[in-house]
Amino acid sequence: MKISDKYCLEIQAVMNDIEIIKNGQIYERDPVPGVPECATVGARLEKNFMRLIQRIESDAKGDIEVAAEYLK
């Protein structure tokens, strides 16, 4: 199985936050309901990216595989 398939959910979580930043859908000081703070997006990116790298290094199951097993 290709890495991009095995870890598609983890990769998508990182890509979603990158898209938020690219679209400027963040706030710095003025809270806006439903729009994440820049620091929140950065922390999520870091956490999701490190989690993905750890899973790849240990050849752990991706979230999509876990979900597929659960649904069987």
Side-chain angles (χ1 to χ4, degrees), residues 10-64:
E10 294 86 347
I11 292 168
Q12 191 58 51
V14 171
M15 294 305 294
N16 288 344
D17 284 338
I18 290 171
E19 195 64 26
I20 285 170
I21 293 170
K22 284 174 32 182
N23 292 334
Q25 296 172 318
I26 55 173
Y27 75 86
E28 289 297 321
R29 294 194 168 100
D30 298 324
V32 178
V35 176
E37 185 176 7
C38 188
T40 300
V41 176
R44 265 195 329 230
L45 270 170
E46 180 179 41
K47 177 183 154 200
N48 287 333
F49 184 71
M50 294 310 298
R51 181 174 165 238
L52 173 59
I53 295 301
Q54 290 170 352
R55 285 184 172 192
I56 290 170
E57 287 177 344
S58 65
D59 197 31
K61 291 181 181 179
D63 287 344
I64 198 76

Side-chain angles (χ1 to χ4, degrees), residues 2-15:
K2 292 183 349 181
I3 288 176
S4 59
D5 292 336
K6 183 172 183 171
Y7 301 105
C8 65
L9 296 178
E10 294 86 347
I11 292 168
Q12 191 58 51
V14 171
M15 294 305 294

